[in-house]
Amino acid sequence: MKLPSLAILACVCALALAGPGRAPVTAADPYELNVLLPLTGPLAFVGASQSKALLALQDVVNTGGGIKGRPLKLVILDDGSNPQTAIELTTQLIAKHVPVILGSAAAGSCSAMFPLVDKAGPVTYCFSPTVHPRAGGYSFMSGPAIEDTQPVLLRFFRARGLTNIALLASNDANGQDFERQLDATLALPEFHAMTVVAREHFNLSDISVAGQIARIKAAKPGFLIAFTSGTPFGTVLRGASDAGLDVPIYSSGGNMAYAQMAQYASFLPKELYLNAARGVVFDPTATGKVKAAQGVFFDAMRKAGIRPEYSHLIVWDPTMVVVDALRALGPDASADRLHDYIEHLQSWTGAEGSYDFSSGNQRGATQPAVALVRWDAPNATWVMADPTAKR
């Protein structure tokens, strides 16, 4: 298979391991860490954003001594936003006996990769919070997960006195999974007073959701959940604006992109909230090691000329977990040793907070790492959401 060109990335190198006669690895040789990202295709904006954050992380790691004195070199491969391409690249890397793979950013690609690596490795760390790796397997995911964020968002709106929910769910696997989880979360006793008063669906390829929005508006909800990202989210926002649906809207952290907000400025709602994690914007509650870890992240973003977004943060902590594991075990660590190390990792601190993988949840971070962010239109920035704020 011909690999897509990645010349735009300074850190990209050819995916080829040693042939006969290669000189032995020395302390000066880079440690190559393979990363799958969607640099082309529908999710290219996500992959491009995350590659920039990873380059900034690479600089931080190498300034701090690399991997046992060897410089870190991220080998970023383009999966084209295509699960089949992700499978092909993963198969190639397995054949080369790499111990770890980072990525992909797309839930569909990660889900396609998991069966290939789950039982024997390499360790695979997905950059999506909407996947479900098997407990104890070789696959991990960026946390917190949807089941962590939903209770936080429901408590937020309940504190505002908003208990009538409208759901506009996409018909793809992510939308279906979110809807199933929402029903499970609403079944918890603490949310007995909250009700879904309108439940609508749409296809990601739809260019209008006018009918769905009209039915939602007629149900008089307190807020709308539209968990999708990219162009489909723009379709939802435009439909809500055209219909005069004046309620808070909550959606995926995948929409936390300054360029996207600029593009949608003319039809953004008065209140727009996204799920995210601590550390993506200034966190006044952070102290100690968490505050220090967030400082490293923000400083790296500043030096790289990057305005932090959730897509940047969601690759940061997972990559640093792997880097710290390699620093502890050495650059010759096998997939088995890396897997065992991460599965037993407790009290590891990152920008999102404290991680504990010992429960087997394959993500380490749970509800305490969740943050809701609000779009502050006058200042064109994201801020931590405040449940006491008035409209």
Side-chain angles (χ1 to χ4, degrees), residues 156-169:
F156 174 83
F157 285 113
R158 186 183 61 191
R160 297 274 303 277
L162 303 176
T163 57
N164 289 343
I165 306 167
L167 174 66
L168 181 54

Side-chain angles (χ1 to χ4, degrees), residues 14 29 44 52 67 81 105 120 137 162 164 168 178-179 181 193 208 213 217 290 326 382:
D29 289 327
K52 293 177 182 178
I67 308 294
S81 308
L162 303 176
N164 289 343
L168 181 54
F178 183 90
E179 185 172 6
Q181 185 58 47
S208 173
I213 293 293
K217 185 177 180 181
V290 176
L326 289 167
W382 297 99

Side-chain angles (χ1 to χ4, degrees), residues 67-310:
I67 308 294
K68 295 285 190 179
R70 291 174 58 181
L72 174 66
K73 187 171 187 177
L74 296 171
V75 181
I76 303 181
L77 302 172
D78 180 18
D79 65 26
S81 308
N82 187 326
Q84 183 57 42
T85 303
I87 288 174
E88 293 169 358
L89 291 172
T90 301
T91 301
Q92 292 177 22
L93 292 170
I94 291 172
K96 297 179 185 300
H97 305 291
V98 303
V100 58
I101 303 171
L102 296 176
S104 178
S109 293
C110 289
S111 296
M113 295 163 63
F114 284 172
L116 303 177
V117 304
D118 183 61
K119 294 184 178 180
V123 169
T124 300
Y125 212 136
C126 177
F127 292 146
S128 170
T130 61
V131 292
H132 303 283
R134 179 182 65 86
Y138 279 72
S139 301
F140 297 86
M141 60 174 281
S142 293
I146 293 301
E147 53 263 40
D148 302 313
T149 62
Q150 285 187 353
V152 175
L153 83 90
L154 293 179
R155 291 178 193 127
F156 174 83
F157 285 113
R158 186 183 61 191
R160 297 274 303 277
L162 303 176
T163 57
N164 289 343
I165 306 167
L167 174 66
L168 181 54
S170 56
N171 285 323
D172 65 333
N174 283 347
Q176 294 170 11
D177 183 63
F178 183 90
E179 185 172 6
R180 284 193 296 269
Q181 185 58 47
L182 179 63
D183 289 338
T185 303
L186 286 169
L188 297 174
E190 67 170 302
F191 301 119
H192 71 278
M194 304 191 80
T195 305
V196 177
V197 297
R199 189 184 295 261
E200 298 288 336
H201 303 85
F202 72 105
N203 298 315
L204 295 180
S205 59
D206 289 347
I207 61 174
S208 173
V209 290
Q212 295 95 321
I213 293 293
R215 290 187 288 272
I216 287 172
K217 185 177 180 181
K220 302 184 183 304
F223 63 100
L224 168 64
I225 298 176
F227 198 81
T228 188
S229 59
T231 300
F233 183 57
T235 302
V236 171
L237 293 182
R238 186 178 292 278
S241 176
D242 290 346
L245 180 64
D246 184 22
V247 298
I249 297 178
Y250 164 86
S251 191
S252 164
N255 296 303
M256 190 183 177
Y258 286 100
Q260 194 172 9
M261 292 302 100
Q263 182 180 352
Y264 298 162
S266 64
F267 49 88
L268 288 174
K270 291 180 181 177
E271 290 186 74
L272 175 61
Y273 299 93
L274 304 180
N275 71 285
R278 294 178 63 191
V280 72
V281 297
F282 175 71
D283 180 3
T285 67
T287 59
K289 292 182 178 180
V290 176
K291 185 176 182 178
Q294 291 180 3
V296 172
F297 171 72
F298 282 122
D299 187 56
M301 295 297 100
R302 178 186 58 79
K303 289 179 179 177
I306 299 172
R307 296 183 74 185
E309 299 171 348
Y310 192 33

Side-chain angles (χ1 to χ4, degrees), residues 374-381:
R374 175 180 61 82
W375 179 243
D376 179 1
N379 295 302
T381 192

